[in-house]
Amino acid sequence: MTARYLEVVRAGALTTVQDLGRSGHAHLGVARAGALDEPAHRLANRLVGNPEHAATLETTVNGCAVRAGCPLLAAVTGAPCPVRVDGRPAAWGAPVYVPSGAVLELGRVTAGLRAYLALAGGVRSTPVLGSRSTDLLSGLGPGPLRDGERLPVGEPYGTPAAVDAAPCPGPPTELVVPLIPGPRADWFSPNALRILAAGGYTVSPASNRIGLRTEGPALPRARDGELPSEGMVLGAVQVPPDGRPVIFLADHPTTGGYPVIGVASQDSLAPAAQAAPGTPVRFVPVSRSGARAATAATAARCAASSSAAGDPAAR
Amino acid sequence: MTAPRPLLVGAHALLLELPTEEATEALHAELLRRRAAGELPPVREIVPGARTVLLDGLAEPEALADELTRSAVPPLPPREGSVVEIPVRYDGPDLSEVAALWQVPPDALPRVLDGIEFRVAFTGFAPGFGYLSGLPARYHTPRRATPRTSVPAGSVGLAGPYAGVYPRSSPGGWQIVGTTDATLWDPAREPAALLAPGAQVRFTRVGP
């Protein structure tokens, strides 16, 4: 059997290997990691016939270029960007055939931040604690891609579905974040939730895979000091001493001592991954039951689009 | 024993808050026991903190919150089992300063630390970094006023009520009193972390 691989021609600003992340190791200080725009990652995999847990490449703003070391079927999703094969325009959001030796290039995004490149068979870097994901905070998994590096690609899982195009939500012009208040909302003065909901925030350029930082009014505290360190969840909106809320993303620390005023709905994390610096952010306090109903509705929509995109598991 | 105070976290997590470190340790041990015995609903993560235990990935956190706050936590059973021994060279750059804060001669500091039975209260900061509780109050140590930009892997440090060992080189503000060659974290090893929450730990002096 000939080796299946790709060679990195242009690594781009920050391109990492991502799958659905690590579970069950938070008590040892290991975050979940995994694709920040998970629906885009899952869709890219479906388009090339992979199971959704296969590893893809997550690019940041200026894409990447890879040379196929063997014939590859690829798909690009997430932030819209020009796709080229040996310089010729190719489809975004649909399967693309890349002959052996050809260069597949993802150009600069035209909106959003992160594009996902899936290859039939998946990127087969060595798994660490059950995942191939790069965790930038913990330094786990493969490092960010470097020019000239070779990455192994697995054997294709099967014939991918015949699809012309797949539905993808566009990057947000305003990031709306449904927020369930607590567990430490009482550490803030009573008007802090009103300030959050008033929408005076924008995405800070200091944001990364660890957290989406914001610029805007400082949230006034009712209590000073730090909490004894406590466990942190994905989507926690932590407020450091400067008062500007930070939404914890996939590579977040597992424990922390700054109070969490609320938790962002899981549905808002994919749009958060695509919200470019300067995008307005509006937090909308919601009830726990309201948030669950919204998540269930999204899951139903995804299931519908999954069968539209020919999920191999559904065939 | 007092029942934990439940705080709901988002749609699918529950934070249980306790008044003391001992109660936190007892609840954590009880939750691990219940999970192993199949007496806990499916949960993705059980993450202890200094005065809390977080349960993340629950289908119905409200139901578990109700149940857990109605039942008292059994007291912690007597500690048994193995003690993780960490060989330490007491050669850290902050040793004299810490000894002065403790009002002991510098050559007495290794004896003090070797004599303490530590326990991993919780982790964080980096994979495999355990916050080791057990320092008597008179040996609590403030962080350095200016954190170092780089602390070498294996550095043994003190901060507030905790001791800890840096699994890898990183910036840090802990007062460094020694060094170990023990590998705190190796993802290729099973288990990857030398120190997991609840583990008992002792430092043993090596070298001069």
Side-chain angles (χ1 to χ4, degrees):
Chain A
M1 195 187 299
T2 52
R4 289 173 54 80
Y5 69 93
L6 56 80
E7 184 186 311
V8 180
V9 176
R10 181 178 67 81
L14 175 66
T15 302
T16 58
V17 177
Q18 297 296 340
D19 55 18
L20 298 178
R22 302 181 173 83
S23 216
H25 303 284
H27 64 290
L28 301 178
V30 176
R32 189 179 318 188
L36 286 197
D37 185 343
E38 203 179 284
H41 160 91
R42 290 176 185 269
L43 175 63
N45 272 328
R46 291 200 301 270
L47 289 171
V48 297
N50 287 350
E52 294 182 347
H53 62 76
T56 63
L57 296 179
E58 178 184 281
T59 71
T60 314
V61 181
N62 70 348
C64 70
V66 297
R67 187 186 309 278
C70 57
L72 290 173
L73 187 71
V76 180
T77 63
C81 63
V83 179
R84 291 180 209 94
V85 177
D86 273 347
R88 283 188 291 277
W92 175 92
V96 172
Y97 176 69
V98 188
S100 182
V103 172
L104 169 67
E105 169 134 41
L106 283 64
R108 190 178 186 82
V109 298
T110 52
L113 292 176
R114 296 176 170 97
Y116 292 82
L117 168 59
L119 303 151
V123 177
R124 303 283 291 179
S125 51
T126 310
V128 177
L129 300 175
S131 162
R132 300 179 205 278
S133 290
T134 300
D135 178 341
L136 293 174
L137 182 69
S138 301
L140 291 181
L145 263 54
R146 285 165 296 131
D147 293 352
E149 183 180 2
R150 279 187 180 193
L151 295 174
V153 176
E155 289 296 322
Y157 288 88
T159 317
V163 279
D164 296 327
C168 282
T173 49
E174 181 191 33
L175 179 62
V176 178
V177 181
L179 181 87
I180 301 177
R184 300 295 179 184
D186 59 338
W187 277 56
F188 297 86
S189 69
N191 61 345
L193 280 175
R194 271 198 302 279
I195 294 172
L196 262 183
Y201 293 93
T202 57
V203 176
S204 157
S207 302
N208 54 28
R209 283 187 45 87
I210 297 165
L212 183 146
R213 294 177 177 276
T214 61
E215 289 173 349
L219 295 174
R221 289 269 292 262
R223 296 176 63 172
D224 287 332
E226 279 189 39
L227 286 153
S229 285
E230 62 189 26
M232 292 284 147
V233 300
L234 183 66
V237 178
Q238 197 191 52
V239 184
D242 74 2
R244 273 80 187 185
V246 178
I247 306 172
F248 273 178
L249 302 179
D251 292 0
H252 71 86
T254 53
T255 58
Y258 299 135
V260 170
I261 190 168
V263 179
S265 83
Q266 301 302 297
D267 291 341
S268 64
L269 298 180
Q274 299 294 4
T279 304
V281 184
R282 189 158 49 91
F283 294 92
V284 182
V286 294
S287 70
R288 204 158 269 106
S289 56
R292 285 206 192 105
T295 303
T298 305
R301 268 201 312 281
C302 282
S305 84
S306 156
S307 54
D311 185 340
R315 286 204 304 274
Chain B
M1 174 125 349
T2 43
R5 173 182 170 233
L7 297 158
L8 293 166
V9 182
H12 295 290
L14 173 63
L15 190 68
L16 299 160
E17 189 173 52
L18 298 121
T20 64
E21 186 178 302
E22 292 69 28
T24 308
E25 183 181 1
L27 176 66
H28 179 237
E30 169 66 4
L31 289 169
L32 293 187
R33 186 200 66 73
R34 285 183 52 159
R35 182 168 64 175
E39 296 169 13
L40 207 59
V43 56
R44 189 171 53 237
E45 311 278 1
I46 299 180
V47 187
R51 295 288 183 277
T52 52
V53 182
L54 174 74
L55 297 154
D56 191 12
L58 293 166
E60 291 179 22
E62 295 92 338
L64 188 64
D66 277 358
E67 189 213 317
L68 288 174
T69 47
R70 268 188 278 111
S71 55
V73 179
L76 196 67
R79 284 178 188 167
E80 51 188 31
S82 58
V83 175
V84 180
E85 294 211 346
I86 298 181
V88 177
R89 292 185 301 280
Y90 287 100
D91 57 2
D94 302 323
L95 188 141
S96 307
E97 199 177 320
V98 172
L101 281 166
W102 289 4
Q103 300 179 326
V104 303
D107 59 2
L109 183 141
R111 221 169 30 248
V112 171
L113 285 175
D114 279 8
I116 295 172
E117 189 186 295
F118 290 103
R119 193 187 63 84
V120 183
F122 59 98
T123 70
F125 176 61
F129 186 92
Y131 288 76
L132 306 178
S133 62
L135 276 177
R138 65 182 178 283
Y139 298 134
H140 291 186
T141 307
R143 283 166 197 261
R144 287 175 54 83
T146 311
R148 292 187 170 89
T149 52
S150 179
V151 175
S155 295
V156 176
L158 303 168
Y162 301 112
V165 185
Y166 284 73
R168 58 180 171 136
S169 171
S170 57
W174 291 39
Q175 308 262 15
I176 306 303
V177 297
T179 315
T180 181
D181 294 330
T183 303
L184 275 290
W185 174 254
D186 176 2
R189 181 179 64 189
E190 176 58 41
L194 184 65
L195 306 179
Q200 298 168 71
V201 181
R202 206 155 35 221
F203 294 145
T204 54
R205 180 182 194 163
V206 293

